Amino acid sequence: MTVLDDIIVGVKEDMEARRRLVSPVELKDRVAAAAPARDAWAALGGPSATREDLKVIAEIKRRSPSKGDLAPIEDPASLAAQYEDGGASVISVLTEQRRFGGSLADLDAVRATVNIPLLRKDFTVDEYQIWEARAHGADLILLIVAALSDAQLADYSALSRELGMNVLVETHTEQEIERAVAANARIIGVNVRNLKTLDVDRSLFASLAGLIPAEAVIVAESGVRSADDVSHYAASGANAILVGEALVSDATPRERINEFKAAGAAAIAVRN
């Protein structure tokens, strides 16, 4: 069993426990009463002709399977406010509990505090989680190609759009990019971390980003340690970066986001 397989087993068990407490009918009622989703596609640059800088998806992340504990984050709303002040375009909130220490309560707290779009970062394997995401204020969800069939990828993307949300479709291989493109993904991430082994290969991004249509927003995921890493991703075609560890472990996340954005803008100027 791979690391990804093991995570999904736990995700399904925890989801079923929540389903026993909140029925799908109740979730749909909550969605019907919720404010409309914010436009994460526009926040991340929208049409290719309008993209002039590097966008940052800043993540609320307490721990990870590869690194263990990263930061206690007793007040995720306060950290999210710092991210927003620092110029993040989207805030990612990890809601997986067992490996990452997240929860839907974190998503609620952040939603009540910031005005920019939110990504519910989790391992989506059931439509119930998509309704959950919207009910708790998410504007964007993550779909991991390696964890889904083509039918699930299409169905979950369609449901997300129906609920007004955008989808970040995560890939790690050339074949997965082909599947994401076939599913008409508009926001495509290249995760340089192999979720089956947790190994990181930063060079992977440059080899795969060129396979993604220019119309898509291209997101570099994982492996951001410094401004040099950001420059590398931006020079290789990234329109946005998703970064968690480097921000949650920094005492001045506002300044770090500014540093990353400046490094990305400089690299994009050279690239263009």
Side-chain angles (χ1 to χ4, degrees), residues 85-114:
D85 290 345
S89 296
V90 172
I91 294 175
S92 169
V93 182
L94 268 156
T95 59
E96 197 280 332
Q97 177 181 353
R98 300 189 185 197
R99 297 295 190 99
F100 295 89
S103 69
L104 287 166
D106 288 345
L107 188 60
D108 291 337
V110 173
R111 177 72 293 158
T113 303
V114 303

Short mmCIF file of all heavy atoms in Angstrom, two decimals, residues 85-114:
data_model
loop_
_atom_site.label_atom_id
_atom_site.label_comp_id
_atom_site.label_asym_id
_atom_site.label_seq_id
_atom_site.Cartn_x
_atom_site.Cartn_y
_atom_site.Cartn_z
N ASP A 85 -2.88 39.92 4.23
CA ASP A 85 -2.17 41.19 4.28
C ASP A 85 -0.88 41.16 3.48
O ASP A 85 -0.45 42.18 2.92
CB ASP A 85 -1.85 41.56 5.73
CG ASP A 85 -3.07 41.93 6.54
OD1 ASP A 85 -4.14 42.19 5.93
OD2 ASP A 85 -2.97 41.97 7.79
N GLY A 86 -0.26 39.99 3.42
CA GLY A 86 1.00 39.86 2.70
C GLY A 86 0.85 39.78 1.19
O GLY A 86 1.85 39.82 0.47
N GLY A 87 -0.39 39.64 0.72
CA GLY A 87 -0.61 39.62 -0.72
C GLY A 87 -0.92 38.26 -1.31
O GLY A 87 -0.89 38.09 -2.54
N ALA A 88 -1.25 37.27 -0.47
CA ALA A 88 -1.67 35.98 -1.01
C ALA A 88 -2.94 36.16 -1.83
O ALA A 88 -3.81 36.96 -1.48
CB ALA A 88 -1.91 34.98 0.12
N SER A 89 -3.06 35.41 -2.90
CA SER A 89 -4.25 35.48 -3.75
C SER A 89 -5.32 34.49 -3.32
O SER A 89 -6.51 34.73 -3.51
CB SER A 89 -3.86 35.20 -5.21
OG SER A 89 -3.00 36.20 -5.70
N VAL A 90 -4.88 33.37 -2.77
CA VAL A 90 -5.78 32.31 -2.30
C VAL A 90 -5.15 31.74 -1.02
O VAL A 90 -3.93 31.68 -0.89
CB VAL A 90 -5.93 31.19 -3.35
CG1 VAL A 90 -6.69 29.99 -2.79
CG2 VAL A 90 -6.64 31.71 -4.61
N ILE A 91 -5.99 31.33 -0.09
CA ILE A 91 -5.50 30.65 1.10
C ILE A 91 -5.96 29.20 1.06
O ILE A 91 -7.14 28.92 0.85
CB ILE A 91 -5.99 31.33 2.40
CG1 ILE A 91 -5.37 32.72 2.49
CG2 ILE A 91 -5.63 30.50 3.63
CD1 ILE A 91 -5.86 33.54 3.65
N SER A 92 -5.02 28.30 1.23
CA SER A 92 -5.30 26.87 1.27
C SER A 92 -5.40 26.44 2.72
O SER A 92 -4.51 26.72 3.53
CB SER A 92 -4.17 26.10 0.57
OG SER A 92 -4.28 24.71 0.80
N VAL A 93 -6.48 25.75 3.04
CA VAL A 93 -6.69 25.25 4.40
C VAL A 93 -6.74 23.73 4.36
O VAL A 93 -7.66 23.15 3.78
CB VAL A 93 -7.98 25.80 5.03
CG1 VAL A 93 -8.13 25.31 6.47
CG2 VAL A 93 -8.00 27.33 4.99
N LEU A 94 -5.75 23.10 4.96
CA LEU A 94 -5.76 21.64 5.02
C LEU A 94 -6.80 21.19 6.03
O LEU A 94 -6.81 21.62 7.17
CB LEU A 94 -4.38 21.13 5.45
CG LEU A 94 -3.45 20.81 4.28
CD1 LEU A 94 -2.01 20.87 4.68
CD2 LEU A 94 -3.79 19.44 3.71
N THR A 95 -7.70 20.32 5.59
CA THR A 95 -8.75 19.84 6.47
C THR A 95 -8.60 18.36 6.82
O THR A 95 -9.39 17.84 7.62
CB THR A 95 -10.14 20.08 5.86
OG1 THR A 95 -10.24 19.42 4.60
CG2 THR A 95 -10.40 21.57 5.68
N GLU A 96 -7.60 17.68 6.26
CA GLU A 96 -7.36 16.28 6.60
C GLU A 96 -6.80 16.21 8.01
O GLU A 96 -5.85 16.90 8.34
CB GLU A 96 -6.40 15.65 5.59
CG GLU A 96 -6.42 14.13 5.59
CD GLU A 96 -5.58 13.52 6.73
OE1 GLU A 96 -4.61 14.17 7.18
OE2 GLU A 96 -5.89 12.39 7.15
N GLN A 97 -7.36 15.34 8.83
CA GLN A 97 -7.06 15.34 10.26
C GLN A 97 -5.88 14.45 10.65
O GLN A 97 -5.00 14.87 11.41
CB GLN A 97 -8.30 14.88 11.04
CG GLN A 97 -8.11 14.77 12.53
CD GLN A 97 -9.37 14.29 13.25
OE1 GLN A 97 -10.43 14.16 12.65
NE2 GLN A 97 -9.24 14.02 14.53
N ARG A 98 -5.84 13.23 10.15
CA ARG A 98 -4.91 12.24 10.68
C ARG A 98 -3.44 12.55 10.38
O ARG A 98 -2.58 12.43 11.26
CB ARG A 98 -5.25 10.86 10.14
CG ARG A 98 -6.64 10.40 10.50
CD ARG A 98 -6.86 8.96 10.13
NE ARG A 98 -8.25 8.57 10.38
CZ ARG A 98 -8.65 7.31 10.46
NH1 ARG A 98 -7.79 6.31 10.33
NH2 ARG A 98 -9.94 7.02 10.66
N ARG A 99 -3.15 12.91 9.15
CA ARG A 99 -1.77 13.14 8.75
C ARG A 99 -1.36 14.61 8.79
O ARG A 99 -0.17 14.92 8.88
CB ARG A 99 -1.54 12.60 7.33
CG ARG A 99 -1.73 11.09 7.18
CD ARG A 99 -0.70 10.31 7.97
NE ARG A 99 -0.73 8.89 7.66
CZ ARG A 99 0.12 8.28 6.83
NH1 ARG A 99 1.07 8.98 6.25
NH2 ARG A 99 0.02 7.00 6.59
N PHE A 100 -2.35 15.51 8.67
CA PHE A 100 -2.04 16.93 8.54
C PHE A 100 -2.56 17.79 9.69
O PHE A 100 -2.25 18.98 9.76
CB PHE A 100 -2.58 17.46 7.21
CG PHE A 100 -1.91 16.86 6.01
CD1 PHE A 100 -2.40 15.69 5.44
CD2 PHE A 100 -0.77 17.44 5.46
CE1 PHE A 100 -1.79 15.12 4.34
CE2 PHE A 100 -0.15 16.87 4.36
CZ PHE A 100 -0.66 15.71 3.79
N GLY A 101 -3.36 17.22 10.58
CA GLY A 101 -3.82 17.96 11.75
C GLY A 101 -4.83 19.05 11.44
O GLY A 101 -4.99 19.99 12.23
N GLY A 102 -5.54 18.94 10.32
CA GLY A 102 -6.50 19.97 9.94
C GLY A 102 -7.92 19.59 10.29
O GLY A 102 -8.19 18.51 10.83
N SER A 103 -8.84 20.50 9.98
CA SER A 103 -10.25 20.24 10.27
C SER A 103 -11.11 21.24 9.52
O SER A 103 -10.63 22.30 9.07
CB SER A 103 -10.54 20.37 11.77
OG SER A 103 -10.42 21.73 12.18
N LEU A 104 -12.38 20.92 9.41
CA LEU A 104 -13.33 21.86 8.82
C LEU A 104 -13.52 23.08 9.72
O LEU A 104 -13.87 24.16 9.24
CB LEU A 104 -14.67 21.17 8.57
CG LEU A 104 -14.68 20.19 7.39
CD1 LEU A 104 -15.92 19.31 7.43
CD2 LEU A 104 -14.59 20.93 6.06
N ALA A 105 -13.26 22.93 11.02
CA ALA A 105 -13.32 24.08 11.93
C ALA A 105 -12.28 25.12 11.54
O ALA A 105 -12.54 26.33 11.65
CB ALA A 105 -13.12 23.62 13.36
N ASP A 106 -11.12 24.68 11.08
CA ASP A 106 -10.10 25.62 10.59
C ASP A 106 -10.63 26.39 9.38
O ASP A 106 -10.44 27.60 9.26
CB ASP A 106 -8.84 24.87 10.18
CG ASP A 106 -8.05 24.34 11.36
OD1 ASP A 106 -8.30 24.76 12.50
OD2 ASP A 106 -7.17 23.48 11.14
N LEU A 107 -11.29 25.67 8.49
CA LEU A 107 -11.85 26.31 7.30
C LEU A 107 -12.90 27.35 7.69
O LEU A 107 -12.92 28.47 7.16
CB LEU A 107 -12.45 25.25 6.38
CG LEU A 107 -12.92 25.69 5.00
CD1 LEU A 107 -11.78 26.28 4.19
CD2 LEU A 107 -13.56 24.53 4.25
N ASP A 108 -13.75 27.01 8.65
CA ASP A 108 -14.76 27.95 9.13
C ASP A 108 -14.12 29.21 9.71
O ASP A 108 -14.56 30.34 9.45
CB ASP A 108 -15.64 27.30 10.20
CG ASP A 108 -16.54 26.21 9.65
OD1 ASP A 108 -16.83 26.23 8.44
OD2 ASP A 108 -16.95 25.33 10.44
N ALA A 109 -13.09 29.01 10.52
CA ALA A 109 -12.43 30.15 11.18
C ALA A 109 -11.78 31.07 10.16
O ALA A 109 -11.86 32.31 10.28
CB ALA A 109 -11.39 29.64 12.18
N VAL A 110 -11.14 30.49 9.18
CA VAL A 110 -10.48 31.30 8.15
C VAL A 110 -11.51 32.02 7.28
O VAL A 110 -11.36 33.20 6.97
CB VAL A 110 -9.54 30.42 7.31
CG1 VAL A 110 -8.97 31.22 6.14
CG2 VAL A 110 -8.41 29.87 8.17
N ARG A 111 -12.57 31.30 6.93
CA ARG A 111 -13.61 31.92 6.09
C ARG A 111 -14.23 33.14 6.77
O ARG A 111 -14.59 34.12 6.10
CB ARG A 111 -14.70 30.90 5.78
CG ARG A 111 -15.88 31.40 4.99
CD ARG A 111 -15.57 31.67 3.51
NE ARG A 111 -14.65 32.79 3.28
CZ ARG A 111 -13.92 32.96 2.18
NH1 ARG A 111 -13.98 32.08 1.20
NH2 ARG A 111 -13.10 33.99 2.05
N ALA A 112 -14.36 33.08 8.09
CA ALA A 112 -14.97 34.18 8.83
C ALA A 112 -14.05 35.39 8.95
O ALA A 112 -14.49 36.46 9.37
CB ALA A 112 -15.36 33.71 10.23
N THR A 113 -12.78 35.21 8.53
CA THR A 113 -11.79 36.26 8.76
C THR A 113 -11.31 36.95 7.49
O THR A 113 -11.06 38.16 7.49
CB THR A 113 -10.58 35.67 9.51
OG1 THR A 113 -11.04 35.09 10.74
CG2 THR A 113 -9.53 36.72 9.82
N VAL A 114 -11.15 36.19 6.41
CA VAL A 114 -10.55 36.77 5.20
C VAL A 114 -11.58 36.88 4.08
O VAL A 114 -12.62 36.22 4.10
CB VAL A 114 -9.34 35.95 4.71
CG1 VAL A 114 -8.30 35.83 5.81
CG2 VAL A 114 -9.78 34.55 4.25
#
